[in-house]
Amino acid sequence: MSVSIYVLDMEKIHIEKNTVQETLIIPLYARKLCTELYPNLFCDKKSTELIERLDYDFSALEKKSASTMQRFGALEVAMRQNDIAYEVRNYLKLHPKAAVVNLGCGLDQTGESCDNGVCRIYNLDFPDVILVRNQLLPGTERVCNLGVDLNDTAWFDKIDAANGAVFFAAGVFYYFRKTEVQSLFAKMAKRFPGGMLVFDTAGRRAVKLMIKTWVKQAHIQDVDAFFYVEDLQKDIGEWLQNTDVSSRGYMLGYNDLKDNSVSGLFRFLFNEG
């Protein structure tokens, strides 16, 4: 008896450099690298599979992957996802059928990793990004990928928040102007009472460092117009009325990182940060 074996080679999806779609690459590669380096702290096996499906020159990232700062940055990205997932799961304990909304999702699957079997998951990003996501991570009965501009709040109508809603954004609001954040947050608070928004932020100096390359490419002069938080109450609490605002220590607020895979230098840097 003979056995025939057919191997189907999936067509790779091309990602052009210097496009919106390229913003998917760095966090995706960071999650892959962190899964390899820190398996006890973070596991995203899907990231390797997704990278293999992309037609993109990863050589520059691969060359840097052995550097201390690249590994530190990868650990930051991965732990940020863990921290956000903690808050999402905590909200779902009280609101199991809530909408779980990933703002600026890229190819991140934090929402799916928090799936309790009854919640509804929404992944939002620019249409060009969602075009790629739909090819790699298509929606399902309870998972919806939406191509939108977050500042155009028409997307509110697409979220079923009848049973609550938890929104989260990782590395997104650094690229928003303060006025845009204030407007979006105020509209969300009004439209989704009882909901929760989880996001990462940083002070003025850190934000300037994070977005300097993008600012240079976009020929933007007024960097101080972008959103950062120096004082939680002043920068958010004073203008966001009837809303509970709280913060938790970045990175070490959730994980102590006491694992042999994490160097003492990294633990020191996180503590200093």
Side-chain angles (χ1 to χ4, degrees), residues 73-236:
L75 185 57
E76 276 193 303
V77 168
M79 293 300 96
R80 178 177 65 190
Q81 301 309 124
N82 277 354
D83 295 351
I84 288 174
Y86 175 93
E87 295 291 355
V88 172
R89 293 187 183 107
N90 209 37
Y91 185 88
L92 288 175
K93 289 177 183 177
L94 297 177
H95 311 275
K97 295 184 178 181
V100 176
V101 188
N102 190 342
L103 306 174
C105 60
L107 292 175
D108 171 55
Q109 288 190 287
T110 298
E112 287 84 342
S113 73
C114 297
D115 189 1
N116 60 5
V118 292
C119 65
R120 296 190 63 83
I121 299 167
Y122 299 86
N123 297 301
L124 278 59
D125 214 317
F126 288 117
D128 284 353
V129 173
I130 293 299
L131 182 65
V132 175
R133 186 181 182 97
N134 278 335
Q135 295 177 74
L136 295 169
L137 300 166
T140 66
E141 184 180 352
R142 288 187 299 103
V143 178
C144 181
N145 298 329
L146 299 173
V148 302
D149 178 344
L150 294 180
N151 286 314
D152 179 358
T153 55
W155 62 264
F156 285 4
D157 294 337
K158 300 179 181 180
I159 307 300
D160 180 0
N163 296 297
V166 53
F167 303 84
F168 62 93
V172 172
F173 293 129
Y174 305 112
Y175 301 93
F176 279 52
R177 295 179 182 274
K178 295 175 187 176
T179 53
E180 292 174 333
V181 169
Q182 289 176 342
S183 175
L184 178 61
F185 283 15
K187 290 175 181 176
M188 290 177 69
K190 183 177 180 180
R191 179 63 179 270
F192 304 103
M196 182 170 75
L197 171 61
V198 184
F199 64 95
D200 60 310
T201 186
R204 176 179 178 274
R205 182 171 176 271
V207 169
K208 285 185 70 173
L209 287 173
M210 281 186 283
I211 68 173
K212 65 179 181 180
T213 301
W214 174 74
V215 165
K216 184 178 180 180
Q217 292 174 344
H219 304 291
I220 294 170
Q221 301 296 323
D222 188 11
V223 179
D224 284 341
F226 288 84
F227 179 65
Y228 60 83
V229 174
E230 296 282 359
D231 181 295
L232 186 68
Q233 187 57 35
K234 179 180 178 181
D235 295 331
I236 299 180

